[in-house]
Amino acid sequence: MTTQDINNEKSSILLIYTGGTIGMKEDPSVQALRPFDFSQILAEVPELRKFAYRIDSYTFDPLIDSSDVEPSLWVALARLIEERYDSYDGFVILHGTDTMAYSASALSFMIENLTKPVIFTGSQLPIGAPRTDGKENLISSVEIAAAKDSEGQAIVPEVCICFDNVLMRGNRTTKINSDNFRAFRSENYPPLAEAGISIRYNTPYIIRPPRKAGRPVFHTNLDTRVSILKLHPGITPQVVRSILCSPDPRAVIIETYGAGNAPSKEWFISLVEEAAGMGKILLNVTQCIAGSVNMDIYATGKTLKLAGVANGYDSTTESALAKLFHLMGRYDDNEVVRNGLEINLRGEISK
Ligand code: ASP
């Protein structure tokens, strides 16, 4: 990790507020947390004024708990960033933690050739709470979103999550803790930066756009016809059939064991073959939080490969889902989507 020569004096940031715990406070009438407005968030973080940046804000209406996030929010976020792209050096998105890894994954696929930082952050405790983690998270995110090198290029031109002093590639993250401040992990990819006394960037691991990338391409067409089949001991043929062979989903993510293994029982294999025969896109992602699928190690994995199941490598389920939405939204041909799944598009798989 290195500390970079940072030139961010005239940086401008768009802070986008979608909701989440960071901006909530107790509503005594229902004794539950509800979102409050953006000016109150800024009032809680006067430290932001110490930066010499221009910070503008955009608030979504209604503000939501991220358990209510739908792909339509991702489309709205992508369109907003596209519209304001030339006016800002970086974007910080305040978002609930529950589905943040899904949203960050989705935006990473929806924006191709990104040249500016898009940083998701939030908090485990509301920003008004005495021990809040929201202030640190917000301040570090803004500083990273503003950071440019001596040539004026963004230091982290990626969609990321910044949480508990760690900057992670968004499509590598998973929420792993519901109450600890270290809510997110990126088990299969190193941090892109760490915030200590200064912010240390892990430059070799940061993706840079091609030199003549120009403006990014925003892909806002998503096809959401995906189901997830999580394997477990005792799973029945009825359950597997209802997910794999139902007519609705165009694709099914099979969350397998270990290195991509599934039951070797005949009924299971024939249901996978039946789904493949129906033309469905099947993707193998491991239930393990670290490590990769390898369908060549065990006979149980090999059978899936022979049936035409695509390899998810070390993808998170969140990223696999978002990648499918994106590829299916772009291509009508399932074979093209299937091939695209095994290509590393935005650093989401190690390949
Ligand atoms: N339920 C909240 C949300 O995801 C939790 C949080 O923000 O931490 O919006």
Side-chain angles (χ1 to χ4, degrees):
M1 298 241 182
T2 51
T3 25
Q4 291 240 350
D5 247 0
I6 308 279
N7 158 26
N8 52 10
E9 265 181 20
K10 292 198 183 98
S11 291
S12 52
I13 301 297
L14 183 63
L15 256 182
I16 304 168
Y17 177 34
T18 67
T21 297
I22 192 163
M24 292 189 182
K25 69 177 172 198
E26 177 96 2
D27 176 345
S29 66
V30 286
Q31 290 189 325
L33 292 172
R34 279 199 198 278
F36 60 95
D37 73 59
F38 195 77
S39 55
Q40 294 185 57
I41 293 193
L42 288 186
E44 295 288 347
V45 199
E47 293 87 343
L48 285 177
R49 289 198 206 103
K50 293 189 182 154
F51 290 129
Y53 317 144
R54 172 164 66 92
I55 302 179
D56 296 338
S57 64
Y58 180 96
T59 303
F60 273 82
D61 182 18
L63 292 165
I64 52 169
D65 183 298
S66 78
S67 309
D68 279 323
V69 161
E70 292 293 334
S72 54
L73 177 84
W74 305 337
V75 172
L77 281 170
R79 291 208 171 117
L80 176 66
I81 294 170
E82 180 174 22
E83 234 175 73
R84 313 278 177 103
Y85 199 74
D86 297 328
S87 311
Y88 296 95
D89 295 302
F91 300 84
V92 173
I93 303 175
L94 299 180
H95 190 292
T97 57
D98 289 346
T99 58
M100 191 187 289
Y102 289 92
S103 296
S105 297
L107 266 286
S108 79
F109 294 111
M110 293 167 80
I111 315 177
E112 190 177 347
N113 285 339
L114 184 63
T115 56
K116 300 181 180 185
V118 174
I119 315 287
F120 280 81
T121 196
S123 65
Q124 294 282 58
L125 276 177
I127 210 153
R131 290 176 50 253
T132 186
D133 51 331
K135 278 190 183 194
E136 300 288 336
N137 289 346
L138 176 54
I139 294 167
S140 299
S141 300
V142 166
E143 190 167 345
I144 291 166
K148 292 182 277 182
D149 62 20
S150 48
E151 289 169 23
Q153 305 296 319
I155 294 192
V156 192
E158 291 209 37
V159 178
C160 302
I161 288 185
C162 180
F163 221 88
D164 198 33
N165 295 320
V166 184
L167 183 75
M168 294 154 277
R169 176 170 300 151
N171 60 31
R172 290 292 195 154
T173 58
T174 297
K175 183 172 178 183
I176 48 103
N177 204 310
S178 61
D179 50 29
N180 195 290
F181 287 149
R182 177 70 42 103
F184 291 91
R185 280 280 163 79
S186 162
E187 285 293 346
N188 283 329
Y189 200 77
L192 302 185
E194 280 174 43
I197 295 173
S198 56
I199 295 177
R200 294 165 70 83
Y201 292 93
N202 208 354
T203 317
Y205 290 94
I206 297 172
I207 297 176
R208 317 221 116 253
R211 271 251 157 223
K212 289 184 190 135
R215 230 173 169 267
V217 185
F218 291 82
H219 303 280
T220 51
N221 205 19
L222 301 172
D223 181 345
T224 60
R225 290 175 293 161
V226 180
S227 288
I228 301 177
L229 171 64
K230 181 166 185 158
L231 300 181
H232 59 84
I235 198 163
T236 61
Q238 290 78 359
V239 169
V240 173
R241 170 177 287 286
S242 70
I243 300 175
L244 273 187
C245 303
S246 117
D248 302 330
R250 207 178 139 193
V252 182
I253 296 170
I254 308 176
E255 269 201 9
T256 54
Y257 305 124
N261 304 312
S264 55
K265 297 174 188 77
E266 221 178 286
W267 66 261
F268 182 82
I269 307 297
S270 58
L271 284 174
V272 172
E273 285 168 351
E274 187 177 329
M278 292 166 78
K280 290 190 184 290
I281 304 157
L282 305 174
L283 178 63
N284 187 346
V285 168
T286 175
Q287 293 176 15
C288 296
I289 61 161
S292 182
V293 165
N294 181 342
M295 292 191 276
D296 289 316
I297 307 181
Y298 298 98
T300 47
K302 214 160 209 159
T303 322
L304 295 182
K305 185 175 171 180
L306 290 176
V309 178
N311 192 335
Y313 295 94
D314 55 351
S315 174
T316 62
T317 299
E318 294 87 332
S319 172
L321 186 86
K323 190 172 181 178
L324 273 164
F325 284 7
H326 163 66
L327 288 173
M328 296 194 328
R330 266 184 96 177
Y331 306 108
D332 290 332
D333 184 337
N334 284 3
E335 205 41 41
V336 175
V337 173
R338 199 199 162 285
N339 293 337
L341 287 170
E342 296 192 351
I343 296 171
N344 177 15
L345 298 179
R346 309 277 192 273
E348 75 282 2
I349 50 177
S350 310
K351 216 200 153 192

